[in-house]
Amino acid sequence: MEPNWNRLDEHVKFYLPVVVAVALVSILITGLITAPVRRVKGYSPVQPVSFSHQLHAGQMRIDCRHCHLGVEVSRHATVPTTAICMNCHKAAATDKPGVIRLREAAARGETLLWKRVHKLPDFVYFAHLVHVQAGIRCDNCHGDVRRMDVMTQVSTLSMGACLGCHRQAHERVPGSQANLTGPENCSACHR
Amino acid sequence: MSPIGPKDLRTRTKGQQTENGQCVDGGERPAASYWRSLEDLSRTPGNEALRAMLADAIAIPPDPNLNRRRFLAVMAASLSAAGVGCGRFEDRGTIAGSAALAEGDIPGTPRYYASTLVHYPGCFPVIATVRDGRVVKLEGNSEHPASMGALGAFGQASTLDLYDPDRLRAPLLNGKDVSWEEADQLVRNHIESSSRAGKFTVLVTGPVVSPTAHSLLRLFTSAYPKTIHRILATLHDGERSGGRQLAFGTPGAGTIRWDLADVILSVDCDFLGSQGQPGDERAFSARRRPEAGAPVNRLWAVEAGLTLTGSNADHRFPLRPVLQPAFLAWLLGEVVLRRKVGPLAADGALTGLLRAALQGIAPSDFGMQPKATAALIDDLVKSQGRSAIIAGPQLPTSCHVLVAALNVTLGNEGTTVLPVLTRPGTDASTLQEWAEAAELMNRDRVGVLIALDANPVYSLPEFDIAHGLTKVPFVVSSSLLRDETASAAHLVLPAAHDLESWGDCDAHPNLLSIQQPAMRPVSPVRQSEESLLSWLGKDERPTPNYREYLKLRWTNEVYPPSGAAADFVRFWEAALHDGFVDIKTEALPSSTLSIPEVLDAVGRSTRKPDHGFDLVLCPSPRLHDGRFANNGWLQELPHPVTTQAWGNAAVVGPATAAALDCREGQTIRIKAGGASLDLPILVGPGVADKTVLVDLGYGRRAGGSVGTHVGFDAGRLRSPKGGVSAWLYTGVRLVAVRNREPIIRVQQHDMAEGRAFIKEATAHGTLLSVATTEHPHPPESNWEYNGHKWGLVIDLSACTGCGACTIACVAENNIPVVGPEQVAKGREMHWIRIDRYFSGPVANPAVAYQPMMCQQCDCAPCEKVCPVAATVHSPEGLDEMVYNRCVGTRYCANNCPYKVRRFNYLDYHQEVKSPKELVFNPEVTVRSRGVMEKCTFCVQRIAAGKQAARAAGRKLADGDIRTACQQACPTGAIVFGDLNDPESRVHKLAGSERGYRALEELGIGPAVRYLARIRNPHSGLKI
């Protein structure tokens, strides 16, 4: 059949640019939405008290589990209660402005309102305990906290990041068992 | 492909049918002989008249508030609102830890407390699951012998009452805030000044099931001698205990050992439903499983309306209530005179009188075939000492005397029927006592009226308490909500919920259950006992608070007789941990039957009925006496038999409806004595002729934002003197009124389309029905399950159809209440529903119940049609539903043959008023609009079970994971587990010869196995 050159012209002059433009805009938008920065990788907000993990976990070598009580037994690692802070800070560094604010809050029976750094969507039911018990270390997801003066998110915490590790944990987690994998079905995390 | 109608199925299946759908000898009952509702039946040929009667009731009215313009306005508003919420994307808000935690408390992990619900009908021992300081779920206390881990619908729904946004939050004096100290001072002053003026203080409570509360009440009445204590119970056992008192001359009640009874005759007693005690269903249904070893029991039911008990009976006879006393008298005569059984037969004078009184009464008077009554009497006489007869609490005293006589005659008294002493304070005040109290109020002789967790204005409409209260200078109400009585009170005190209170309960023989707060109150409320204690003078108060008072009484009266080796502190802590202690309930001495009373009862029972209708006021299986009216979960849970939700109606049989020339939904006026009530008619199969039944508990005028003006207040038909009893009236007139009211019945949603879901067999192994049709599709699944393969087995023989599983599922899975308008459109959200199937004649059908939830098919039709892979298969055999992927095409629901998928048409959780959000299970997503949802086999519990096993370093054991429905089921009919584990209960049960899968012929491999329902008909009778 003879090609319809008029139609072809119309296709080249009109439809092709439109399709290309739509495709480009889509790619751009998708790229923007899924960029690591949108995942808040590198997010390090200013906290109400300039608490330093570098000092506590790094220099003083306090174990993570000393303050994050729930990490081995609960879904949540849990932010320490003011009472836990005060265990040491009744005596330690009582002259620092942050500790003074902490003490005042504790005296009122209140808690400090920390800016949240790591957050998964509400429909994700991540459980710390299973991961810790499987031998995944804190720094596998949270980075080398012991060197962080200000807490920063280092992983994208995206579903891709989760699945990457669930598929081949032994490659991503140094020193883990050779056959370690996580479940990949939906209800493992979403319910 | 042409659609297959019921007619085609009928010709293709084997059995033979009579015209009215009844099965003839020996044949299998074909699939099409089951009908889900009259509507369903009316679609079959020969039932056109039925269709006409129901026509208007079926149509769903369009929403008058939504037209095209409004739709566009809503859409425009939604679009503009979509951009409003955008803020900085990095900001994740703040995170607040606790200031301090209790020892061992870790956020995100549950803690468990044993307690008891005492303000619920029947006293429920519970284990409260507490997450982050709030109760999120209740289960039965599995160590408590009366519960064995089960918890019915009322108990399951009580967490919603706890977080009811309508709850009172602070004491109010004439509508203004007042402090607790001022309120207490005011009450003390008023009581004292009214006593000085020679006026009475009327104290109204419910039945006092707590011995400690009872001792406190005695303390209060002795401190204020002008106190009159009245016990309010809309529904109580007064007639029954009165009957035993007459028959034996000793006070007390009779409890039935359902586990020992081979033959049970229930004369209009719904012991499996709204008139039973927790534990009755379990004991009864334990004898319904042929595998268990003990012979299957046989239940005979004679009843007015179709109840859960009647629908679980092997033989059921509809009989209008006014003839039921005569039936009992006749039965006694047959057993004593004709069969010459029991000690009474030897008494010549008695037999002569009995013969004279029963002259001329025949089974045909009760509409029964002589063959049927002969079989019943044969059964009773053959199982002497192993049968039990029970009559409904609404029947008059004389019936209970006759029941006592029958049980003595048949040797059941002392074997299957055990006398139990009732403690003072548990029996409700009589109508006479209430009339006196009302009279005192009207004559200005009452200075103070205190209502503690009681609502006399609503519950006693016959005495016009509302008018009486206007004459009382000071009215105090301590209640959860601003109910009818609180609205009329001067001082309103916010009462604590059972889960915020201390107490104990001796409702179960030989056990004393303890009640402890499982959480700190949401607002500064106070339990009524605490109020009572603080109204005592300073010197009369034995302890500063009620908790100490409870401990004091336990120290003095519970601990010493227990003989415990440990000291009191250990004893007390063990009681708090376990939820109960063993005590010795006083045994009743055996007593002899009073012959003159029996003769008197016979004389009073053989009267002929007058013309007019019989009216029965029934306890609502959902709202009980109205106390659960503000509980949306219970309002939306369909009535087990009529499947009506959000309301009540006048239930009449199809013949009565035809005689009245009424269609379903048409309003009728019920005239009983001087009172009348207009309400819509509901045509119920199996209801006796000349009988109308109405559920109590509806039509609240101040029932909270959910419960006000739902349904009709049948209590207004009661008269101060009562009819035959307070709940039973004869000579009632019914007049058709032209109005119509919509009736919301969920069983009319989703027709069975002639497909077979139910399989039944007799206890001797004869198959009564076929659950599969011809031309099966071959199984199509390609899945292999290497690890776990989750499955569920549901024993239809044990299921009584109560609906506890539905409420448990609602509580566990954050299922929204959608409201009456949405339910009317078929949009209820329940993940597990109880399907009710009728078979046989409309006048007296056989009933089968079937819990229906997602069957988690291996080759799931829903998974195949989802365009966005929002429902996918898991390696453990679950059909997973991924809410955040779902775009709401609803293809899956269309393709589901079980119709178990539910769609969120609206954002039902959007307007959750504080503190109701606290009731949500934090382990389950709160779904939003436009998302499909369904049963997940409680996947959050599967995950929690695996995590717990992992944390303990052991393998997952059978029974570690229990679904919410399984845990709640009062009869243990539901079993969950790993089908791949040959040692698991579910695997063994699935292999039972009773096992079948619903719609197995489709080849889709459902993971739910049903065990065929067992019927145990008498060998001389057909079903």
Side-chain angles (χ1 to χ4, degrees), chain B residues 925-941:
Chain B
T925 306
V926 176
R927 283 85 54 192
S928 180
R929 176 168 57 187
V931 174
M932 189 58 76
E933 59 186 62
K934 65 161 190 88
C935 163
T936 62
F937 271 5
C938 285
V939 68
Q940 67 282 2
R941 290 186 174 215

Side-chain angles (χ1 to χ4, degrees), chain A residues 37-40 43 69-70 73-76 78-83 109-119 122-123 125 127 129-130 133-134 153 159 185-188 190-191, chain B residues 89-101 105-109 131-132 869 872-875 878 880-885 921-926 939-940 943 947 950-951:
Chain A
V37 66
R38 288 290 304 193
R39 299 272 178 201
V40 204
Y43 177 52
L69 285 177
V73 289
S74 169
R75 242 175 66 199
H76 311 297
T78 65
V79 169
T81 61
T82 21
E110 285 172 8
T111 170
L112 295 169
L113 288 177
W114 301 98
K115 291 295 266 182
R116 187 163 193 169
V117 180
H118 301 94
K119 189 181 185 212
D122 286 349
F123 48 79
Y125 289 80
L129 83 157
V130 221
Q133 276 160 6
Q153 178 177 328
M159 186 159 129
N185 60 309
C186 305
S187 66
H190 306 294
R191 26 185 123 114
Chain B
F89 66 84
E90 304 101 324
D91 189 16
R92 276 107 187 266
T94 51
I95 188 165
S98 308
L101 285 173
D105 203 359
I106 304 279
T109 54
R131 273 287 299 266
D132 306 336
V872 290
H873 215 70
S874 94
L878 301 181
E880 299 173 323
M881 184 66 223
V882 192
Y883 309 124
N884 37 314
R885 266 188 191 168
N921 182 354
E923 296 297 313
V924 178
T925 306
V926 176
V939 68
Q940 67 282 2
Q947 283 172 17
R950 184 170 212 155

Side-chain angles (χ1 to χ4, degrees), chain B residues 448-498:
Chain B
V448 182
L449 184 135
I450 302 170
L452 298 181
D453 302 311
N455 185 4
V457 173
Y458 172 76
S459 301
L460 294 169
E462 63 267 45
F463 296 108
D464 201 2
I465 301 288
H467 177 256
L469 288 187
T470 57
K471 304 233 175 171
V472 179
F474 193 62
V475 179
V476 185
S477 167
S478 171
S479 62
L480 287 179
L481 306 174
R482 199 183 177 84
D483 57 21
E484 288 83 351
T485 307
S487 308
H490 302 98
L491 180 65
V492 179
L493 304 174
H497 187 270
D498 276 356

Side-chain angles (χ1 to χ4, degrees), chain B residues 36-37 39 57 60 622 635-647 664 682 743-752 806 818-830 832-836 899 902:
Chain B
R36 289 163 63 98
S37 59
E39 212 281 310
I60 294 168
R622 297 305 174 232
Q635 285 273 18
E636 199 153 300
L637 180 63
H639 185 288
V641 184
T642 66
T643 73
Q644 186 183 13
W646 289 100
E664 178 150 308
L682 189 153
I743 286 184
I744 303 163
R745 300 174 79 174
V746 303
Q747 189 75 84
Q748 282 165 355
H749 309 156
D750 305 327
M751 296 299 146
T806 306
V818 301
E821 296 81 14
Q822 297 294 313
V823 178
K825 288 178 185 167
R827 294 178 178 177
E828 65 272 13
M829 296 296 292
H830 294 155
I832 176 169
R833 61 170 198 262
I834 309 286
D835 281 341
R836 173 218 57 193
K899 293 286 163 268
R902 304 296 195 186

Side-chain angles (χ1 to χ4, degrees), chain B residues 469-664:
Chain B
L469 288 187
T470 57
K471 304 233 175 171
V472 179
F474 193 62
V475 179
V476 185
S477 167
S478 171
S479 62
L480 287 179
L481 306 174
R482 199 183 177 84
D483 57 21
E484 288 83 351
T485 307
S487 308
H490 302 98
L491 180 65
V492 179
L493 304 174
H497 187 270
D498 276 356
L499 295 168
E500 302 163 337
S501 305
W502 286 98
D504 52 8
C505 164
D506 62 356
H508 308 289
N510 298 319
L511 293 168
L512 184 60
S513 313
I514 197 160
Q515 179 192 17
Q516 63 173 324
M519 60 180 274
R520 193 177 283 193
V522 179
S523 47
V525 296
R526 195 171 76 176
Q527 70 181 102
S528 299
E529 291 85 356
E530 193 79 65
S531 298
L532 209 56
L533 190 66
S534 51
W535 295 335
L536 291 172
K538 272 237 155 54
D539 309 329
E540 289 135 7
R541 224 175 294 166
T543 53
N545 61 41
Y546 187 65
R547 176 173 165 270
E548 291 303 316
Y549 185 76
L550 182 73
K551 266 177 105 169
L552 181 72
R553 203 194 78 88
W554 275 56
T555 316
N556 296 336
E557 290 174 44
V558 180
Y559 175 61
S562 75
D567 58 358
F568 178 73
V569 177
R570 292 252 175 98
F571 174 78
W572 173 252
E573 276 173 3
L576 287 178
H577 175 269
D578 298 345
F580 67 97
V581 291
D582 295 317
I583 53 166
K584 197 93 199 96
T585 306
E586 212 176 319
L588 260 185
S590 61
S591 42
T592 48
L593 189 67
S594 155
I595 306 274
E597 287 297 341
V598 175
L599 278 176
D600 185 47
V602 169
R604 278 186 287 146
S605 301
T606 49
R607 280 178 307 185
K608 292 274 174 197
D610 43 10
H611 50 271
F613 287 82
D614 296 350
L615 167 70
V616 192
L617 302 177
C618 317
S620 162
R622 297 305 174 232
L623 309 187
H624 196 60
D625 56 2
R627 72 185 71 183
F628 301 119
N630 209 38
N631 191 312
W633 292 355
L634 287 170
Q635 285 273 18
E636 199 153 300
L637 180 63
H639 185 288
V641 184
T642 66
T643 73
Q644 186 183 13
W646 289 100
N648 60 348
V651 183
V652 295
T656 311
L660 287 166
D661 196 20
C662 275
R663 289 170 163 201
E664 178 150 308

Side-chain angles (χ1 to χ4, degrees), chain B residues 127-178:
Chain B
I127 298 287
T129 307
V130 179
R131 273 287 299 266
D132 306 336
R134 61 192 168 93
V135 177
V136 292
K137 185 80 175 51
L138 291 183
E139 310 292 355
N141 185 345
S142 54
E143 279 160 28
H144 196 293
S147 157
M148 307 282 280
L151 185 62
F154 292 145
Q156 291 286 346
S158 69
T159 46
L160 191 64
D161 290 341
L162 185 61
Y163 303 114
D164 191 340
D166 294 340
R167 273 184 70 181
L168 294 162
R169 310 221 172 164
L172 295 170
L173 179 65
N174 296 321
K176 295 199 181 73
D177 280 359
V178 64

